[in-house]
Amino acid sequence: MTVRAFRGEIVSVPHDPLTDPQAVRHDPDGMLVVEDGIIIDRGAYAALAPRYGDVPVDMLPGLIVPGFIDAHIHYPQMDRIASHGEQLLDWLDRHIFPAEKAFADRAHADHVAGLFLDELLRNGTTSALVFPTVHAHSVDALFEAALDRNMRIISGKVLMDLGPDGLADTVDSARAQSDALIRYWRGKARLGYAVTPRFALTSSEEQLQAAGQLLVDHPDVLMHTHLAENERECAEVAARFTQAADYLDAYDRFGLVGDRSVFAHGIHLSDRACARMHESGAGVAVCPTSNLFLGSGFFDFTQAARHGLKLGLGTDVGAGTSFSMLHTAGVAYQAGLMRGHRLDPFRALHLATAGSAALLHIADKVGGLMPGQEADFVVLNPAATPLLARRTAGADLAERLFALQILGDDRAIASTYVMGERAAC
Ligand code: GUN
Ligand code: ZN
């Protein structure tokens, strides 16, 4: 049994400030007590220190926040970030599908998976819901690399029987490989599985049906896909699924809309779809840098709030332009304003941590820095650049968080801790 303590300014937002006025937890001079990677106590240093007199204390200058939780990202796309010139469907054909074909080679998958997880840690991200490729071994590569780093990672083989040559599975192979992966990886370390149809346009109705059946057979896994991102995509879905009320309904008809469903984007949603999502408990991974990069549009935070939608924040690399959840939260603020919404910095931090955790059904484990949770946290340096230093000097907590959100990126990550251990990255 190892007990350690960390002292510094601690802030977390375990609940949504939109609905809970007590959402923010702030200890200006705080202490986190960690036993074997689990937080066993948290509070003011002056109150806790006498109780843990013989426990070694690490001083952490800066702002201690929960490790970031990226609710939607693609590891095989990391080397195609910043690929010029196209909106979604042409971007997939020209840049992404060729890159994903290279993951037929397991050694390539292993290599990229390691680089990818180290880049997450370097940016302060300790948990993520990750798209791999259609290849079953792309999941093994990611999960093995996550085991090496003790990270909380959720992923699942991509289902795409209508995908391009060299990147398409079949209904039967998708079902059998997903089932085998779920059974093999279930309960291992900090890993979780998500049934992952790429999007409505790359799966046959039979495959969407099979995905729904996998969720019935394995009620502990998530469902992860894309929804209503791009106008041409939406038009093609409407043309193909003529019986469906809207894009969400095309998934709903196959049992893919429920409490454990995570939909990336949701830029073009009907009120009916929002109401149905709320009723079912499904939620959206908001991916603002991706939505700007591919010219998809701006997420409507006002509509989402009206319907009480469950939200998390995702980078969506490689359409997303940064691994940094600070930067992503900064762009979320700007995207929000484009549709008349003022995302406040505490809610932004919530979305990047406990909000994403709730969406991914891991909020009992991470995201709030509360006793009983795993000690995944980040030390932010509010003086990481000369400009940040000037802007945050003497500023109150809300102003410092907002400055970090707008000006911060990987440079502001002083250190990343995974289950109480400093990550080497
Ligand atoms: N829709 C279907 N596949 C993808 C993808 O790889 N990235 C994004 N942003 N949207 C998608
Ligand atoms: Zn995506």
Side-chain angles (χ1 to χ4, degrees):
M1 189 179 76
T2 321
V3 184
R4 303 172 59 189
F6 301 91
R7 179 181 179 183
E9 182 175 1
I10 306 169
V11 62
S12 65
V13 191
H15 306 289
D16 191 341
L18 206 60
T19 49
D20 182 352
Q22 308 295 318
V24 179
R25 301 293 168 99
H26 181 213
D27 298 297
D29 179 10
M31 180 155 144
L32 272 184
V33 186
V34 177
E35 181 180 299
D36 295 335
I38 304 295
I39 299 166
I40 57 165
D41 216 339
R42 169 187 170 172
Y45 177 77
L48 293 195
R51 272 188 251 160
Y52 298 97
D54 48 359
V55 172
V57 181
D58 287 354
M59 282 292 300
L60 299 177
L63 201 54
I64 302 170
V65 300
F68 295 119
I69 300 174
D70 191 332
H72 178 74
I73 185 166
H74 299 246
Y75 95 82
Q77 298 180 11
M78 110 175 229
D79 291 330
R80 297 262 46 93
I81 195 168
S83 289
H84 179 263
E86 318 289 345
Q87 287 210 357
L88 175 65
L89 300 178
D90 296 321
W91 172 82
L92 287 172
D93 285 339
R94 181 170 158 207
H95 298 297
I96 296 306
F97 291 151
E100 292 195 6
K101 282 178 193 171
F103 284 71
D105 175 8
R106 169 70 198 255
H108 177 66
D110 285 328
H111 180 63
V112 176
L115 295 175
F116 170 82
L117 293 179
D118 285 342
E119 190 62 21
L120 286 184
L121 290 169
R122 229 176 52 70
N123 280 275
T125 299
T126 48
S127 296
L129 175 58
V130 185
F131 256 73
T133 64
V134 70
H135 313 96
H137 65 225
S138 73
V139 178
D140 295 321
L142 180 69
F143 280 169
E144 286 175 19
L147 279 181
D148 288 344
R149 293 159 181 80
N150 199 23
M151 291 173 73
R152 186 165 280 290
I153 295 291
I154 306 171
S155 189
K157 180 201 124 57
V158 179
L159 314 181
M160 45 189 300
D161 64 332
L162 302 184
D165 284 350
L167 214 52
D169 55 2
T170 66
V171 176
D172 287 343
S173 70
R175 185 190 295 118
Q177 290 176 357
S178 300
D179 198 68
L181 285 164
I182 292 167
R183 290 177 196 283
Y184 180 78
W185 286 106
R186 173 174 284 137
K188 290 211 166 55
R190 306 180 75 200
L191 306 174
Y193 199 87
V195 170
T196 308
R198 182 171 209 119
F199 68 155
L201 294 180
T202 41
S203 285
S204 64
E205 303 211 355
E206 293 71 23
Q207 190 174 61
L208 294 173
Q209 189 79 52
Q213 189 58 46
L214 281 165
L215 297 173
V216 172
D217 295 344
H218 304 287
D220 55 322
V221 305
L222 298 185
M223 199 292 299
H224 183 200
T225 191
H226 297 92
L227 172 69
E229 175 179 3
N230 167 279
E231 281 178 357
R232 203 178 115 208
E233 169 209 14
C234 291
E236 292 194 18
V237 169
R240 193 179 131 205
F241 295 87
T242 50
Q243 307 294 310
D246 48 40
Y247 196 155
L248 184 77
D249 196 41
Y251 291 133
D252 212 355
R253 297 153 58 80
F254 300 102
L256 301 180
V257 179
D259 180 38
R260 303 182 75 83
S261 302
V262 179
F263 294 101
H265 306 297
I267 298 293
H268 311 281
L269 290 179
S270 64
D271 278 323
R272 191 216 70 85
C274 289
R276 171 66 187 132
M277 238 192 271
H278 174 73
E279 171 197 63
S280 70
V284 176
V286 180
C287 304
T289 74
S290 164
N291 300 150
L292 260 79
F293 181 73
L294 291 179
S296 305
F298 303 105
F299 184 75
D300 190 343
F301 284 96
T302 307
Q303 181 191 39
R306 203 166 58 239
H307 289 279
L309 279 194
K310 199 196 298 181
L311 301 183
L313 192 65
T315 61
D316 194 29
V317 165
T321 54
S322 171
F323 274 75
S324 168
M325 291 288 283
L326 285 175
H327 176 70
T328 304
V331 178
Y333 169 79
Q334 297 167 49
L337 271 190
M338 291 301 292
R339 293 180 84 165
H341 186 86
R342 294 165 9 139
L343 180 63
D344 94 79
F346 293 107
R347 184 153 196 253
L349 180 59
H350 170 75
L351 293 180
T353 55
S356 285
L359 182 64
L360 273 45
H361 285 258
I362 52 174
D364 55 330
K365 306 275 196 300
V366 287
L369 288 187
M370 299 303 287
Q373 293 191 323
E374 296 157 352
D376 286 357
F377 58 90
V378 174
V379 184
L380 300 178
N381 177 6
T385 69
L387 188 60
L388 259 172
R390 280 183 68 79
R391 188 63 187 87
T392 58
D396 68 13
L397 178 62
E399 266 194 305
R400 279 182 289 143
L401 280 178
F402 191 56
L404 282 161
Q405 182 185 339
I406 298 300
L407 302 173
D409 52 29
D410 53 331
R411 293 168 296 176
I413 308 298
S415 51
T416 303
Y417 287 77
V418 176
M419 292 199 77
E421 301 290 335
R422 186 165 177 175
C425 54

